[in-house]
């Protein structure tokens, strides 16, 4: 029984072919197709407003050099948001519960921000490893600590997204199982558990949106340090 709770996090297969690629491409099918007119309908207007709001929120702390990343960060935000929300539907698979995928997103983008800083301003980028005014005996230890904290950033990005979504899905499955089991034994407790499940589902919708925003926001902060 305990193993069945984690079956939802296994990548589905069909005839030996992993379907995770289809689940990654499916959110793109929900977006309105482009049109030769500026505004076609209310969905397109809402989509344009949403993308503009996200881009403005992410690009405000950055200077003009960082605005080149607007398309990448905005696309990543919409991609993660769509996958996280679609993963809350019944009988669906959430690719962002896979640590390997989250690390595959976090590591290249983090490395790109780091290399951008080393190329444009190497002295300032390396200066983050040693705070100003550090006593001489503490310099080797602080350099090792700051280097370690720098290198674990992509790991922290991937683990944070994976852990939050995995915990939420497990809680929803546990409480929904308890609701179904208690319905025939203690209907009153089952109704109370169903109310808790409804509140938890609303909370998980908020968590899915917040975690997508936090993932991209931290990347933009890493970019801000290196430009």
């Amino acid at each position: 029984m305990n193993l069945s709770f984690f079956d939802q996090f296994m990548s589905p297969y069909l005839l030996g072919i992993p379907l995770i690629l289809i689940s990654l491409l499916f959110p793109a099918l929900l977006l309105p197709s482009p049109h030769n007119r500026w505004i076609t309908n209310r969905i397109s207007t809402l989509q344009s407003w949403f993308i503009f709001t996200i881009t403005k929120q992410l690009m405000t702390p950055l200077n003009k050099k960082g605005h080149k990343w607007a398309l990448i960060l905005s696309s990543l935000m919409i991609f993660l948001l769509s996958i996280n929300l679609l993963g809350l539907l019944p009988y669906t698979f959430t690719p962002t519960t896979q640590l390997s995928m989250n690390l595959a997103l976090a590591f290249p983008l983090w490395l790109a921000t780091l290399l951008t800083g080393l190329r444009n301003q190497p002295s300032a980028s390396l200066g983050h490893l040693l705070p100003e005014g550090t006593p001489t005996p503490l310099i080797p230890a602080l350099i090792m600590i700051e280097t370690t904290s720098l290198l674990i950033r992509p790991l922290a990005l991937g683990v944070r997204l994976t852990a939050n979504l995995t915990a939420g899905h497990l809680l929803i499955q546990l409480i929904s199982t308890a609701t179904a089991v208690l319905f025939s034994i203690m209907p009153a407790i089952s109704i109370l558990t169903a109310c808790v499940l409804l509140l938890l589902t609303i909370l998980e919708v908020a968590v899915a949106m917040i975690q997508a925003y936090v993932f991209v926001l931290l990347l933009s902060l890493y970019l801000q340090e290196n430009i």
Side-chain angles (χ1 to χ4, degrees):
M1 184 65 182
N2 293 333
L3 294 178
S4 64
F5 288 142
F6 294 91
D7 289 345
Q8 59 177 319
F9 304 118
M10 298 175 61
S11 178
Y13 285 83
L14 179 63
L15 300 178
I17 301 174
L19 301 180
I20 187 172
L21 294 178
I22 298 178
S23 63
L24 292 176
L25 296 175
F26 183 74
L29 301 177
L30 301 178
L31 299 177
S33 58
H35 198 268
N36 55 2
R37 290 187 294 175
W38 284 105
I39 298 178
T40 56
N41 51 38
R42 293 176 181 176
I43 297 179
S44 298
T45 304
L46 182 61
Q47 178 192 3
S48 301
W49 172 83
F50 182 68
I51 295 176
F52 173 78
T53 303
I54 291 176
T55 306
K56 182 180 178 181
Q57 187 71 24
L58 294 175
M59 295 295 109
T60 299
L62 303 178
N63 55 24
K64 291 185 178 180
K65 293 182 179 180
H67 293 176
K68 299 177 182 179
W69 290 65
L71 179 60
I72 297 176
L73 296 180
S74 300
S75 301
L76 180 62
M77 173 73 180
I78 297 173
F79 175 71
L80 291 177
L81 185 62
S82 302
I83 288 181
N84 292 349
L85 292 178
L86 289 175
L88 293 174
L89 297 175
Y91 304 105
T92 56
F93 171 70
T94 311
T96 44
T97 56
Q98 305 295 312
L99 181 60
S100 57
M101 175 190 161
N102 295 334
L103 289 179
L105 290 174
F107 184 78
L109 294 173
W110 165 83
L111 184 61
T113 61
L114 182 62
L115 294 178
T116 300
L118 292 176
R119 184 188 65 178
N120 296 334
Q121 45 180 15
S123 299
S125 297
L126 295 177
H128 291 301
L129 301 179
L130 184 63
E132 186 177 357
T134 304
T136 305
L138 297 179
I139 288 179
L142 277 179
I143 290 178
M144 293 179 60
I145 293 173
E146 292 296 330
T147 303
T148 304
S149 65
L150 178 66
L151 295 178
I152 65 172
R153 282 181 174 181
L155 181 62
L157 281 175
V159 170
R160 180 187 296 108
L161 182 59
T162 304
N164 281 281
L165 294 180
T166 302
H169 284 63
L170 281 176
L171 281 175
I172 289 177
Q173 186 168 2
L174 286 170
I175 296 178
S176 60
T177 303
T179 303
V181 171
L182 293 174
F183 184 75
S184 59
I185 305 174
M186 293 178 288
I189 303 298
S190 178
I191 294 174
L192 180 61
T193 310
C195 295
V196 175
L197 178 61
L198 177 61
L199 295 176
L200 180 62
T201 304
I202 297 175
L203 177 63
E204 284 306 311
V205 171
V207 168
M209 295 187 290
I210 291 172
Q211 288 304 316
Y213 176 72
V214 168
F215 189 93
V216 181
L217 179 63
L218 289 176
L219 282 175
S220 66
L221 294 179
Y222 298 157
L223 179 63
Q224 183 181 2
E225 293 180 357
N226 292 283
I227 58 175

